[in-house]
Amino acid sequence: MSSMEKKKKRKRKTSTATTNTLSPSSPQSTTAPLLPDDLLVSCFARVSRLYYPTFSLVSKRFRSLLASPELYKARSLLGNTENYLYLCLGSHPRSLWYSLFLKPNQTLSNEKGKSSVSFLVTVPIPSSPSARFQGLVAVGCNIYNIKETPYMEENKEELSSNVSVLDCLTHTWREAPRLPVKLMTLSASVLDAKIYVAGIGYKDGDSWGYLKNTFEVFDTRTHIWDPETIPCSETICSFNNSRSVSIDGKVHVKTNNVVAYNSKEVRWDLVGQEMGEYMTSDFCCVIENVLYSASHGVLRWYDSEVSRWKPLKGGLRKFSLGACVRLADYGGKLAVLWEQEQELYGDKKIRFTEIALVRRKIEREIWGEVEWLSDVLRVPKSCSIVKVLGVTL
């Protein structure tokens, strides 16, 4: 073999070896270093949750990380939490749940007739317990459903809790420690991550004929009910069919009067009847320590410094007296959902408007600016809005 042929043969071998080294089937080319979980979690925490459904399609590993508690701890530490609205609809014998979904990268518009950039999507919960306005409260990413003890069940053995928690991260229900007393009526409100439940309970625990005020406290951080019931004399205010809200660092309970519980000084103060004028319905919510109401079809706010209700200014729409209107805190803005019955198809529309709130300290007024308005859901007439709640995820 000539020296020229030997050189060509060596060149072919070198070329083949190089080709095999760079071949796609070669282990060196396919084995890429995987990003560690903590780095992926840090990346996901910086992205809006609106994109999570798309990311979850990449792999099982992504789906697992997107549902992990570590991800939401990271979001909280980064200050990248987002506000979401959850709607509870009453549909016998259970409740239906929806979440407001905003399409990403859309320009919002408040012009009627434009395509909606939001809609309500069904929350996939296999079986959801019935719920009432007074017993639903939100704390962080959880919604608590606290229920009374029906009259017919007073002597039955209680096998399950009357307090359940909807985890909005996993969309699953779990039981929480039950109320320490049986309540015929109740209303719940939240103050400093604690749930305060005012209601009428048994006097001696064994008869509906002897009832008394009861005021129970549940700490959502320790998941424990306070062992001692906070006393409140019936001569001050009866908690029968009460409504309660938390403003000015106190829990305000309204029935025939309005009383406020000061947890720091452990005492009840009589507020008076002015505040309760528009707390008689389920049309109230608190945003940044201000109480808002849609009672009698008009949006109002309560000025606690002068003890007077004032109309929310800004040329906002009014609602018909018979309309079912619900308010919620939507990240510092006022979310309003209401029912609008339709003659066609025997159903009704649920409409939603988002209102930015501006305080004018010199005038001591609050103005509302409608940022957008749209239809978000169509439901049968047999369904009704129970409550709208804002959660943080």
Side-chain angles (χ1 to χ4, degrees):
M1 184 181 292
S2 66
S3 60
M4 184 64 71
E5 289 176 337
K6 290 180 179 179
K7 287 181 179 180
K8 288 182 178 179
K9 189 173 183 180
R10 284 197 299 268
K11 188 175 182 180
R12 284 197 298 268
K13 288 182 179 179
T14 303
S15 176
T16 302
T18 304
T19 303
N20 290 337
T21 302
L22 300 177
S23 171
S25 61
S26 173
Q28 288 89 342
S29 65
T30 57
T31 306
L34 293 174
L35 292 175
D37 286 356
D38 55 352
L39 181 57
L40 281 174
V41 167
S42 179
C43 293
F44 290 149
R46 289 167 166 81
V47 181
S48 172
R49 289 185 70 253
L50 296 176
Y51 298 97
Y52 284 10
T54 302
F55 293 153
S56 67
L57 300 176
V58 174
S59 66
K60 291 183 178 179
R61 181 172 174 236
F62 274 33
R63 285 196 295 274
S64 176
L65 291 176
L66 290 169
S68 66
E70 289 75 20
L71 172 59
Y72 293 92
K73 290 179 182 177
R75 290 177 64 87
S76 179
L77 291 174
L78 290 170
N80 199 31
T81 55
E82 296 174 287
N83 300 293
Y84 287 82
L85 285 180
Y86 276 71
L87 168 68
C88 178
L89 280 182
S91 180
H92 186 76
R94 62 190 184 95
S95 297
L96 305 176
W97 287 88
Y98 295 83
S99 179
L100 185 71
F101 180 84
L102 298 177
K103 296 179 183 178
N105 299 327
Q106 295 282 340
T107 301
L108 299 180
S109 172
N110 62 357
E111 295 179 21
K112 295 182 179 180
K114 289 285 185 84
S115 297
S116 173
V117 297
S118 67
F119 52 91
L120 287 168
V121 295
T122 304
V123 177
I125 306 175
S127 58
S128 187
S130 61
R132 296 183 62 206
F133 180 95
Q134 298 92 323
L136 285 174
V137 291
V139 183
C141 64
N142 294 318
I143 294 176
Y144 291 78
N145 182 16
I146 306 171
K147 302 174 69 175
E148 307 95 333
T149 301
Y151 175 77
M152 297 301 294
E153 296 182 9
E154 59 170 309
N155 294 319
K156 291 183 179 180
E157 182 181 1
E158 296 160 333
L159 301 178
S160 62
S161 175
N162 53 1
V163 183
S164 49
V165 186
L166 174 61
D167 184 341
C168 295
L169 300 178
T170 61
H171 288 158
T172 55
W173 286 98
R174 67 177 185 272
E175 289 191 352
R178 67 175 299 109
L179 274 164
V181 297
K182 295 180 180 180
L183 297 180
M184 183 174 67
T185 66
L186 63 83
S187 62
S189 58
V190 178
L191 179 63
D192 297 332
K194 292 185 178 182
I195 302 175
Y196 292 81
V197 181
I200 293 289
Y202 300 104
K203 186 172 184 178
D204 298 315
D206 59 357
S207 172
W208 285 100
Y210 299 92
L211 305 174
K212 70 168 186 176
N213 285 344
T214 184
F215 197 60
E216 310 294 333
V217 185
F218 181 75
D219 193 327
T220 61
R221 291 162 294 200
T222 61
H223 306 286
I224 296 175
W225 289 95
D226 282 2
E228 297 293 332
T229 296
I230 298 173
C232 181
S233 172
E234 288 80 358
T235 59
I236 299 176
C237 182
S238 172
F239 288 165
N240 187 29
N241 296 319
S242 61
R243 296 290 185 270
S244 59
V245 295
S246 298
I247 59 172
D248 296 331
K250 303 176 183 179
V251 179
H252 293 69
V253 183
K254 194 273 173 192
T255 52
N256 53 325
N257 284 312
V258 179
V259 292
Y261 177 69
N262 188 326
S263 60
K264 295 180 179 179
E265 299 182 10
V266 193
R267 74 164 194 263
W268 291 93
D269 298 319
L270 185 62
V271 177
Q273 297 184 350
E274 294 82 2
M275 183 179 179
E277 183 178 2
Y278 297 109
M279 280 181 61
T280 56
S281 65
D282 298 337
F283 303 159
C284 292
C285 79
V286 176
I287 302 176
E288 296 180 352
N289 203 39
V290 177
L291 177 61
Y292 294 87
S293 171
S295 184
H296 302 300
V298 178
L299 292 173
R300 298 178 176 87
W301 66 283
Y302 182 72
D303 189 336
S304 58
E305 291 189 15
V306 296
S307 301
R308 187 160 63 91
W309 285 93
K310 298 180 179 181
L312 186 63
K313 294 189 174 181
L316 305 173
R317 65 165 291 136
K318 293 184 178 181
F319 306 94
S320 62
L321 292 178
C324 179
V325 185
R326 295 292 185 266
L327 309 179
D329 180 357
Y330 191 28
K333 298 180 181 180
L334 179 62
V336 186
L337 283 91
W338 72 98
E339 300 173 358
Q340 183 171 317
E341 293 195 2
Q342 304 292 297
E343 295 182 1
L344 298 177
Y345 311 115
D347 58 9
K348 55 189 173 186
K349 292 190 299 184
I350 294 180
R351 310 203 74 195
F352 172 55
T353 184
E354 181 180 338
I355 300 174
L357 303 167
V358 179
R359 290 200 191 203
R360 298 186 178 180
K361 295 183 179 180
I362 297 177
E363 303 173 6
R364 292 198 56 81
E365 299 290 352
I366 298 181
W367 287 68
E369 179 182 348
V370 176
E371 295 197 338
W372 58 281
L373 167 71
S374 64
D375 300 335
V376 288
L377 190 65
R378 188 183 294 272
V379 297
K381 288 187 176 180
S382 58
C383 292
S384 60
I385 299 177
V386 177
K387 195 168 186 176
V388 183
L389 302 110
V391 301
T392 305
L393 300 174

